[in-house]
Amino acid sequence: MAAKEEVKLLGFWVSPFVLRVEWALKIKGVKYEYIEEDIFNKSTLLTELNPVHKKVPVLVHDGKAIGESFVILEYVDETWKQNPLLPQDPYQRAMARFWAKFAEEKIFEGAWTALCSQGEQKQKALQQTREAMEKIEEQLQGKQQFFGGESIGYLDIILGWISHYLTVWEEVGSMEIIDPAKFPATMAWINRFLKHPVIQGTLPPREKMLVYFHQRSKELGSTSHGWLRV
Amino acid sequence: MAEVKLLATWPSPFYYRVVWALKSKGIAYEFIEEDLANKSPLLLQYNPVHKKIPVLIHGGKPICESMIILEYIEEIWPKNSLLPNDPYEKAVARFWIKFADDKSPEIWRVFRSVGEEQEKAAKDSLEMLKTIEEHALGEKKFFGGDKIGMVGIAFGQLAQWLQVIEDVTGVKLLEASEFPRLQRWINNFKQVPVINENLPDYDQMFAFFKGRRQMLLASK
């Protein structure tokens, strides 16, 4: 066991990207100090630790800062070997990374765009998101527990936002992305995910999220490009 | 040794990323040319989700997305490693690889558009170049070290494809005087034997992309 190892996480209460890192650290049993950042009023700490993007999450380990949730997850997995997040087999690892990238580009981006846009753009985004979710549904069929097998893994963590954010965004955006009747495997996965001890107690309160995203979608809907994700 | 095949199309910069990785590790492979205007059953079988190239096929199993292919290659053939050993340095490398993947499409937006949209794409491209110049390169010969690695390969589009885009569109993005580090990196990168011997011919590329841009403009 290493000597004094300081782990800090700069986050924002409603960021799904920050949640990913919290779940990873909790699965590994890594103690960390959480520092809440106001992303609309960025501190000098944030701009120093993530000068390129000035975004959260930022993981600081022994004074060294890492940004980007995907990158942080791989770092956490390599630094703390217990409870591996990525599969051991290189081909399976490539598959996990493939689906993570796919889900981020097609589902997260699609749902977010649908939330913040209107008319034809919204419909197009919804269509893209639904089609992408169908592919995830296929991947989940036959899975007993999680993408990671018996326990939560990398892909579960990357997709985990769906279990809590999607219905909020659907409500705020007056849209339906997942019809529960058409996505039985996904619904079952969502229920298992939400019941998992690591996930419980980490999720931001739904009522607060509704207010927040209602405001954000209105603000972002009135600009034409350059949306800040979350 | 399981067979390695690479399904791809000239002159895709994503195809060349995989070529550089395979060649730098001395891995033999069979190149299968794909016609993207007439997608083969092979492509549809091996990349049903995106139907895009490159696809690496190792022992009959397909891997898609160029940087995911590179991580796979690095894990299967660790010799002549393309990533740092230290987990923190590796994380820094992956940060820049993601940046390259997220932001490089801006230069292609310059290629594909006109007028106001092209101006915006040019502005975004310049911001990307500025970030690389100020934050990514440092004083070393290559990103993070004395030899090329995955980060340099990820940014490889800037070493030749960027110039083609500039020459075809007439939009100058990389002024050597404004981006001295980047220009120096491009010069060094192109002189590395594995890159030098595996770059598409400039004139052929220019003709190809000039034709593509003409077709794009005609269809607007």
Side-chain angles (χ1 to χ4, degrees):
Chain A
M1 178 70 121
K4 174 175 175 285
E5 271 188 9
E6 233 189 11
V7 181
K8 301 186 202 214
L9 175 61
L10 261 77
F12 180 55
W13 69 275
V14 74
S15 163
F17 312 112
V18 171
L19 266 178
R20 287 172 176 162
V21 180
E22 294 204 84
W23 293 333
L25 292 170
K26 284 191 188 324
I27 287 169
K28 303 263 183 186
V30 174
K31 290 201 176 5
Y32 62 97
E33 180 196 342
Y34 177 81
I35 302 170
E36 176 76 11
E37 183 65 42
D38 177 1
I39 61 171
F40 300 104
N41 208 0
K42 292 174 186 183
S43 69
T44 33
L45 183 68
L46 178 60
T47 47
E48 270 166 22
L49 292 176
N50 189 353
V52 173
H53 298 303
K54 305 175 181 58
K55 284 182 176 175
V56 293
V58 181
L59 186 81
V60 187
H61 182 208
D62 283 345
K64 295 186 282 198
I66 300 153
E68 294 293 322
S69 62
F70 276 46
V71 176
I72 296 171
L73 251 55
E74 299 243 12
Y75 175 82
V76 168
D77 208 26
E78 282 166 14
T79 303
W80 293 280
K81 305 270 191 224
Q82 66 276 23
N83 301 337
L85 303 175
L86 276 165
Q88 300 300 303
D89 171 68
Y91 186 75
Q92 293 305 323
R93 289 161 78 87
M95 289 301 101
R97 288 176 177 137
F98 174 87
W99 286 110
K101 187 173 201 274
F102 170 83
E104 197 77 337
E105 283 169 8
K106 305 290 183 195
I107 302 172
F108 190 93
E109 291 291 320
W112 181 250
T113 302
L115 176 66
C116 299
S117 60
Q118 308 296 328
E120 204 185 303
Q121 192 178 21
K122 187 188 187 99
Q123 290 313 311
K124 234 180 120 199
L126 279 173
Q127 169 92 338
Q128 176 191 288
T129 313
R130 285 183 196 124
E131 281 172 11
M133 276 308 309
E134 281 166 20
K135 299 208 156 56
I136 297 297
E137 174 74 11
E138 276 171 45
Q139 289 298 305
L140 274 169
Q141 271 155 16
K143 289 259 189 312
Q144 289 304 307
Q145 292 293 326
F146 302 103
F147 288 105
E150 295 269 312
S151 48
I152 286 181
Y154 173 83
L155 195 49
D156 301 286
I157 292 176
I158 296 291
L159 283 159
W161 67 273
I162 291 173
S163 70
H164 190 61
Y165 285 69
L166 205 57
T167 55
V168 172
W169 290 2
E170 283 174 327
E171 192 176 319
V172 172
S174 304
M175 56 195 191
E176 186 187 62
I177 292 171
I178 297 188
D179 173 356
K182 295 196 179 128
F183 291 89
T186 303
M187 294 309 299
W189 171 79
I190 286 175
N191 287 331
R192 288 192 291 269
F193 189 84
L194 290 173
K195 287 203 179 85
H196 194 284
V198 157
I199 308 305
Q200 301 225 318
T202 62
L203 302 173
R206 199 168 194 278
E207 288 312 309
K208 273 184 82 178
M209 284 170 72
L210 282 165
V211 172
Y212 177 85
F213 285 113
H214 202 78
Q215 171 137 14
R216 282 303 280 158
S217 67
K218 275 212 310 247
E219 283 166 11
L220 295 169
S222 63
T223 65
S224 52
H225 39 231
W227 299 324
L228 172 73
R229 299 297 183 269
V230 180
Chain B
M1 226 298 261
E3 240 187 354
V4 180
K5 303 188 197 205
L6 179 57
L7 189 61
T9 303
W10 180 94
S12 158
F14 307 106
Y15 155 52
Y16 278 87
R17 281 174 169 177
V18 183
V19 169
W20 296 331
L22 290 169
K23 294 236 185 223
S24 71
K25 291 176 182 276
I27 301 160
Y29 65 95
E30 179 195 344
F31 169 60
I32 304 172
E33 177 107 40
E34 178 64 40
D35 176 6
L36 291 176
N38 206 2
K39 294 182 180 180
S40 71
L42 200 67
L43 178 63
L44 301 178
Q45 181 198 342
Y46 282 132
N47 192 354
V49 173
H50 298 300
K51 306 177 181 62
K52 284 182 174 175
I53 56 94
V55 181
L56 188 81
I57 305 156
H58 183 213
K61 293 188 291 194
I63 301 122
C64 311
E65 296 293 315
S66 58
M67 293 322 296
I68 293 176
I69 294 172
L70 259 60
E71 292 258 13
Y72 176 82
I73 289 172
E74 180 70 10
E75 284 170 23
I76 300 279
W77 295 280
K79 176 183 99 160
N80 294 349
S81 81
L82 295 170
L83 278 175
N85 270 331
D86 171 68
Y88 176 70
E89 297 299 328
K90 207 187 282 194
V92 174
R94 286 191 173 126
F95 176 90
W96 288 112
I97 290 165
K98 185 166 206 292
F99 182 89
D101 253 2
D102 289 345
K103 305 291 183 191
S104 295
E106 294 302 334
I107 66 176
W108 294 101
R109 268 179 61 214
V110 172
F111 172 74
R112 282 197 308 269
S113 60
V114 291
E116 212 180 289
E117 207 199 318
Q118 191 184 55
E119 275 171 36
K120 172 100 196 1
K123 190 163 165 277
D124 292 341
S125 298
L126 281 170
E127 269 182 44
M128 168 189 66
L129 295 177
K130 253 187 85 190
T131 302
I132 300 167
E133 178 80 14
E134 283 170 28
H135 294 282
L137 267 167
E139 294 310 325
K140 296 219 158 123
K141 199 170 175 199
F142 301 105
F143 291 95
D146 296 318
K147 54 185 187 74
I148 61 162
M150 228 185 266
V151 179
I153 292 178
F155 280 118
Q157 291 178 58
L158 304 179
Q160 180 126 312
W161 285 260
L162 177 60
Q163 195 189 341
V164 173
I165 291 170
E166 288 175 328
D167 292 344
V168 164
T169 60
V171 177
K172 185 73 178 161
L173 293 167
L174 202 155
E175 296 279 2
S177 55
E178 280 170 30
F179 299 99
R181 285 178 173 157
L182 206 37
Q183 189 59 62
R184 198 170 56 230
W185 171 77
I186 290 173
N187 298 340
N188 286 331
F189 186 75
K190 285 167 83 164
Q191 277 171 42
V192 174
V194 76
I195 307 297
N196 189 264
E197 292 155 21
N198 295 287
L199 270 176
D201 174 78
Y202 184 83
D203 294 330
Q204 282 180 18
M205 272 232 287
F206 179 81
F208 176 87
F209 284 110
K210 186 150 187 266
R212 289 292 284 263
R213 177 146 170 99
Q214 276 165 357
M215 268 170 51
L216 278 164
L217 295 182
S219 70
K220 277 192 189 289

